[in-house]
Amino acid sequence: GMYVFLHAVKGTPFETPDQGKARLLTHWEQLDYGVQFTSSRKFFTISPIILYFLTSFYTKYDPTHFILNTTSLLTVLIPKLPQLHGVRIFGINKY
């Protein structure tokens, strides 16, 4: 859910005074006006990591669950990297 909400959905749910600039940006790119390493961005980055550790512990590091959890963690964390701000891989979500 976090990936879809923060990295796949573009635009804003309400009218903004930016004259349409936000309609091409995801919610993650709009967060704190694109400034990196703010407290809210750190929270959204640390939350999936904590959930990953908790699920790994409670599934007793079962290999199947471990691979699924690691894959889901990477799909949420990699788009949050500052190097990928505004980047559309393979043109996905370009428009």
Side-chain angles (χ1 to χ4, degrees), residues 10-89:
K10 292 168 74 173
T12 58
F14 48 85
E15 189 65 34
T16 58
D18 65 356
Q19 298 180 355
K21 292 178 186 174
R23 69 182 173 82
L24 298 175
L25 300 174
T26 62
H27 292 288
W28 180 257
E29 293 165 346
Q30 295 176 34
L31 191 66
D32 296 330
Y33 302 105
V35 177
Q36 302 293 324
F37 304 114
T38 59
S39 59
S40 56
R41 284 183 181 248
K42 288 178 184 177
F43 172 77
F44 282 121
T45 303
I46 291 173
S47 300
I49 296 171
I50 292 171
L51 289 173
Y52 173 76
F53 286 133
L54 287 173
T55 56
S56 295
F57 175 74
Y58 283 114
T59 58
K60 297 180 176 34
Y61 303 99
D62 178 52
T64 305
H65 287 109
F66 190 75
I67 290 171
L68 288 172
N69 290 333
T70 303
T71 304
S72 64
L73 177 70
L74 292 177
T75 59
V76 172
L77 285 185
I78 289 175
K80 288 179 173 49
L81 293 173
Q83 295 86 355
L84 294 177
H85 184 79
V87 174
R88 304 292 183 254
I89 298 175

